[in-house]
């Protein structure tokens, strides 16, 4: 290999390493702050609007992490919990949201508060303003399904869906959390069904469940329970929690045992003494159990305890359904493709055609491409890359499950300049850049920026990029979306600053082509910073200043 090839490769690798290093530094700084902010938000004085008589918070429950709220003489006033850390992995548009959930002593959800959101402020404001969104969760109990189809907020779908997922995950059937049956499965009760059990190990893929290990630490079964799925399933007087012992594969039910019930003791005794009824469900696959027709299978209730035994059988069926839903799937099956994502793929295909074929030389086709970018990618889809979006992803991860097309678009935008030397996003994908190209030289009079001023103004986007980086690292209260015009295309949620920047940039582009792209765009500056410009490219001042800034930030 020639020397130039080695140099080209090293320059590309250096800039990719800078990008990765910046992401790692951002993520570490944000995660450290998040823990401190959550602790501060759970101080008793911050909870008085929910609990006026609060005196203290009790220790977290071992099974769920929920904290009792205590009043005078340690009277139980209710419970609180947060959707984090589970919701930290649920990315909305640009980041996760941590919400406070407030419960009555009976376990009924009475209040919700957004403690901290790393999503875009405009989208979050839309969600908070939609009271119907939060009210749909009120009066819910753990394990109880929503009373109506989930309502998400138009214009902030990804943000509201992520918040809802965090709430439902904390409330629902996937967490294994129960206020009615807080006691975890014990080794002793498992040994009554499987004497060879020697120890239990938490099974993350079965929330609330355990791997059952023998004396050689080999998995021989999976132990789960029907609660909290059955917490709202009332027999004669109350719900029942049933132990389910699955085989080592977790696909088949081997045995069951009644753990605890709020039903009448006499009826419970009838069931625990009826081995025929308890054995009716043995050796059934989860698929079979989840679709079980009691009449066809000739499963009858226990005489004298019909309603209690029916609720127990129905609980096994419902728990089997949730177990099937929780089982790991291939990553492709976890991805949800929205209409916007298919649109992003179409935009990428069109961009590649314009960038790598001679068709870009046809003015009418180029103008048509730009017009479609403005209309569809800008005003209809409304998902533009921005510093707020990219910084959120750097800090908390990407929404690859919920917005794969947007993520693919971002990957092309970031890797394109490094691998192809072309500014694919700025020149062929960005709606705001397309609008400026459509308006370029439409007026006779054009202002030619003097060379000295052009040199100075061209540094402004890079200074803004450095400011964005430091803002995220230091946790400054700056809305990054107010630094760029891209939210203006979703005018329903746009802030005034974004609209002003957008209008000003468009007007300026009438007199100086691509004025905003040249002199105001920090996102474009990021792509320029990592771009490989060809044989004459060298590591320059910007590269070394970026490396120094990242290194210094890692020490803060």
């Amino acid at each position: 290999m020639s020397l130039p090839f080695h140099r080209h490769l090293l320059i590309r690798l250096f800039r990719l390493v800078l990008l990765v290093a910046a992401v790692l530094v951002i993520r570490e700084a944000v995660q450290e702050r998040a823990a401190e902010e959550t602790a501060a938000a759970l101080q008793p004085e911050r909870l008085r609007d929910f609990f006026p008589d609060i005196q203290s918070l009790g220790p977290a429950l071992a099974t769920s992490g929920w904290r009792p709220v205590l009043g005078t003489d340690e009277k139980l006033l209710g419970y609180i919990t947060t959707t984090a850390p589970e919701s930290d992995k649920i990315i909305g548009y640009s980041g996760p949201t941590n919400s406070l959930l407030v419960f009555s002593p009976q376990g009924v959800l009475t209040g919700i508060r957004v403690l901290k959101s790393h999503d875009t402020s405009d989208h979050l404001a839309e969600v908070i303003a939609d009271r119907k969104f939060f009210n749909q969760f009120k009066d819910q109990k753990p394990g109880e399904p929503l009373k109506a189809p989930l309502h998400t907020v138009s214009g902030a779908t990804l943000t509201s869906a992520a918040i809802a997922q965090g709430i439902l995950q904390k409330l629902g059937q996937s967490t294994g959390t129960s206020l009615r049956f807080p006691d975890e499965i014990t080794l002793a009760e498992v040994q009554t069904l499987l004497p060879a059990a020697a120890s239990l190990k938490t099974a993350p893929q079965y929330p609330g469940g355990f791997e059952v290990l023998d004396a050689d630490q080999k998995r021989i079964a999976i132990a789960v329970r029907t609660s909290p799925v059955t917490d709202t399933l009332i027999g004669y007087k109350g719900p029942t929690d049933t132990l389910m012992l699955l085989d080592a594969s977790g696909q088949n039910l081997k045995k069951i045992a009644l753990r605890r019930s709020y039903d009448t003791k006499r009826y419970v005794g009838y069931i625990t003494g009826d081995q025929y009824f308890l054995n009716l469900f043995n050796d059934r696959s989860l698929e079979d159990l989840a679709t079980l027709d009691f009449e066809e299978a000739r499963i009858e209730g226990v005489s004298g305890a019909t309603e209690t035994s029916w609720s127990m059988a129905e609980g096994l069926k419902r728990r089997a359904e949730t177990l099937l839903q929780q089982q790991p799937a291939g990553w492709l099956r976890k991805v949800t493709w929205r209409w916007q994502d298919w649109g992003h793929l179409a935009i990428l295909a069109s961009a590649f055609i314009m960038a790598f074929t001679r068709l870009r030389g046809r003015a009418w086709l180029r103008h048509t491409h730009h017009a479609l970018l403005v209309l569809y990618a800008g005003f209809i889809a409304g998902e533009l890359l921005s510093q707020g979006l990219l910084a959120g992803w750097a800090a908390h991860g990407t929404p690859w499950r919920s917005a794969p097309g947007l993520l693919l678009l971002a990957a092309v935008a970031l890797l394109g300049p490094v691998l192809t030397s072309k500014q694919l996003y700025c020149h062929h994908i960005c709606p705001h850049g397309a609008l400026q190209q459509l308006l370029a030289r439409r007026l006779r009079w054009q202002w030619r920026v003097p060379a000295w001023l052009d040199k100075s103004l061209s540094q402004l986007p890079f200074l803004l990029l450095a400011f964005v980086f430091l803002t995220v690292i230091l946790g400054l209260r700056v809305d990054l979306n107010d630094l760029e015009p891209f939210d203006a295309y979703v005018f329903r949620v746009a802030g005034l600053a974004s609209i002003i920047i957008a209008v000003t940039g468009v007007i300026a582009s009438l007199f100086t082509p691509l004025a905003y792209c040249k002199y105001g765009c920090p996102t474009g500056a990021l792509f320029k910073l990592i771009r490989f410009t060809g044989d004459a490219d060298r590591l320059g001042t910007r590269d070394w200043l970026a490396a120094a800034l990242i290194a210094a930030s890692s020490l803060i």
Side-chain angles (χ1 to χ4, degrees), residues 352-426:
F352 285 138
I353 292 172
M354 299 306 296
F356 298 106
T357 72
R358 295 180 179 179
L359 292 177
R360 67 180 178 276
R362 300 185 180 183
W364 70 269
L365 189 58
R366 188 170 61 253
H367 294 330
T368 300
H369 173 73
H370 290 155
L372 288 175
L373 286 177
V374 175
L375 292 174
Y376 171 74
F379 290 108
I380 297 177
E383 295 184 344
L384 288 73
L385 299 185
S386 66
Q387 288 304 291
L389 179 70
L390 296 176
W393 288 1
H396 308 287
T398 59
W400 64 269
R401 291 183 179 90
S402 57
L406 181 60
L407 179 59
L408 182 60
L409 188 147
V412 170
L414 289 166
L415 297 179
V418 181
L419 302 179
T420 70
S421 301
K422 294 181 180 292
Q423 288 285 49
L424 292 174
Y425 185 80
C426 294

Side-chain angles (χ1 to χ4, degrees), residues 482-503:
D482 287 343
L483 301 179
E484 296 181 297
F486 306 127
D487 270 9
Y489 287 87
V490 192
F491 46 82
R492 178 179 173 181
V493 302
L496 180 60
S498 291
I499 295 175
I500 292 174
I501 294 173
V503 173

Side-chain angles (χ1 to χ4, degrees), residues 33-43 82 84-85 88 98 115-116:
R33 261 197 325 273
E36 296 173 358
E37 290 171 349
T38 299
L42 296 183
Q43 295 301 312
T82 61
D88 290 345
N98 182 21
L115 293 180
K116 180 69 176 181

Side-chain angles (χ1 to χ4, degrees), residues 152-220:
T152 54
V153 180
S154 176
T157 305
L158 289 176
T159 302
S160 57
I163 294 174
Q165 185 179 347
I167 294 171
L168 291 175
Q169 184 168 305
K170 205 71 177 184
L171 274 177
Q173 304 165 359
S174 63
T175 63
T177 297
S178 173
L179 291 177
R180 295 202 175 194
F181 302 102
D183 296 331
E184 290 185 342
I185 297 171
T186 65
L187 177 61
E189 60 183 311
V190 172
Q191 287 175 331
T192 62
L193 299 180
L194 186 63
S199 61
L200 301 180
K201 177 183 177 182
T202 301
Q205 67 272 36
Y206 299 95
F210 296 87
E211 294 183 13
V212 181
L213 309 178
D214 63 11
D216 297 324
Q217 296 300 292
K218 177 182 177 182
R219 185 169 76 180
I220 55 176

Side-chain angles (χ1 to χ4, degrees), residues 104-428:
S104 70
Q106 294 74 36
V108 177
L109 182 63
T110 58
I112 301 173
R113 173 190 291 163
V114 172
L115 293 180
K116 180 69 176 181
S117 180
H118 297 278
D119 227 315
T120 55
S121 59
D122 295 331
H123 290 136
L124 181 64
E126 280 292 299
V127 176
I128 292 177
D130 190 334
R131 302 316 303 169
K132 179 180 178 182
F133 174 76
F134 289 102
N135 288 337
Q136 68 184 322
F137 304 107
K138 293 290 185 65
D139 300 324
Q140 291 287 129
K141 296 180 180 179
E144 186 177 58
L146 286 176
K147 301 175 179 64
L150 180 65
H151 165 69
T152 54
V153 180
S154 176
T157 305
L158 289 176
T159 302
S160 57
I163 294 174
Q165 185 179 347
I167 294 171
L168 291 175
Q169 184 168 305
K170 205 71 177 184
L171 274 177
Q173 304 165 359
S174 63
T175 63
T177 297
S178 173
L179 291 177
R180 295 202 175 194
F181 302 102
D183 296 331
E184 290 185 342
I185 297 171
T186 65
L187 177 61
E189 60 183 311
V190 172
Q191 287 175 331
T192 62
L193 299 180
L194 186 63
S199 61
L200 301 180
K201 177 183 177 182
T202 301
Q205 67 272 36
Y206 299 95
F210 296 87
E211 294 183 13
V212 181
L213 309 178
D214 63 11
D216 297 324
Q217 296 300 292
K218 177 182 177 182
R219 185 169 76 180
I220 55 176
I222 299 289
V224 297
R225 57 183 182 144
T226 56
S227 179
V229 177
T230 55
D231 283 7
T232 58
L233 188 61
I234 307 302
Y236 181 68
K237 284 189 175 180
T240 297
D241 185 20
T242 305
L243 174 66
M244 300 173 65
L245 189 69
L246 311 179
D247 64 8
S249 70
Q251 299 299 312
N252 302 288
L253 178 64
K254 302 303 292 182
K255 294 181 179 181
I256 65 171
L258 193 151
R259 299 188 70 230
R260 185 184 173 192
S261 179
Y262 285 91
D263 235 322
T264 305
K265 289 184 178 180
R266 182 159 56 96
Y267 296 163
V268 172
Y270 289 159
I271 294 174
T272 55
D274 192 331
Q275 287 301 314
Y276 174 78
F277 173 78
L278 296 176
N279 292 335
L280 286 174
F281 307 95
N282 293 353
D283 300 316
R284 293 182 182 271
S285 68
L286 292 181
E287 290 85 355
D288 179 28
L289 188 58
T291 57
L292 188 61
D293 185 304
F294 296 146
E295 290 186 6
E296 288 185 3
R298 297 183 178 180
I299 293 179
E300 299 179 355
V302 176
S303 178
T306 305
E307 292 185 39
T308 304
S309 56
W310 173 86
S311 68
M312 187 175 176
E314 181 65 21
L316 293 170
K317 182 177 178 178
R318 294 186 186 182
R319 184 62 172 124
E321 292 175 359
T322 63
L323 287 169
L324 290 173
Q325 294 169 3
Q326 293 165 6
Q327 289 186 353
W331 71 271
L332 282 175
R333 290 176 58 191
K334 297 179 181 178
V335 175
T336 301
W337 287 84
R338 308 162 300 145
W339 63 267
Q340 294 97 326
D341 296 306
W342 295 112
H344 292 319
L345 292 183
I347 291 296
L348 286 173
S350 180
F352 285 138
I353 292 172
M354 299 306 296
F356 298 106
T357 72
R358 295 180 179 179
L359 292 177
R360 67 180 178 276
R362 300 185 180 183
W364 70 269
L365 189 58
R366 188 170 61 253
H367 294 330
T368 300
H369 173 73
H370 290 155
L372 288 175
L373 286 177
V374 175
L375 292 174
Y376 171 74
F379 290 108
I380 297 177
E383 295 184 344
L384 288 73
L385 299 185
S386 66
Q387 288 304 291
L389 179 70
L390 296 176
W393 288 1
H396 308 287
T398 59
W400 64 269
R401 291 183 179 90
S402 57
L406 181 60
L407 179 59
L408 182 60
L409 188 147
V412 170
L414 289 166
L415 297 179
V418 181
L419 302 179
T420 70
S421 301
K422 294 181 180 292
Q423 288 285 49
L424 292 174
Y425 185 80
C426 294
H427 295 168
H428 304 292

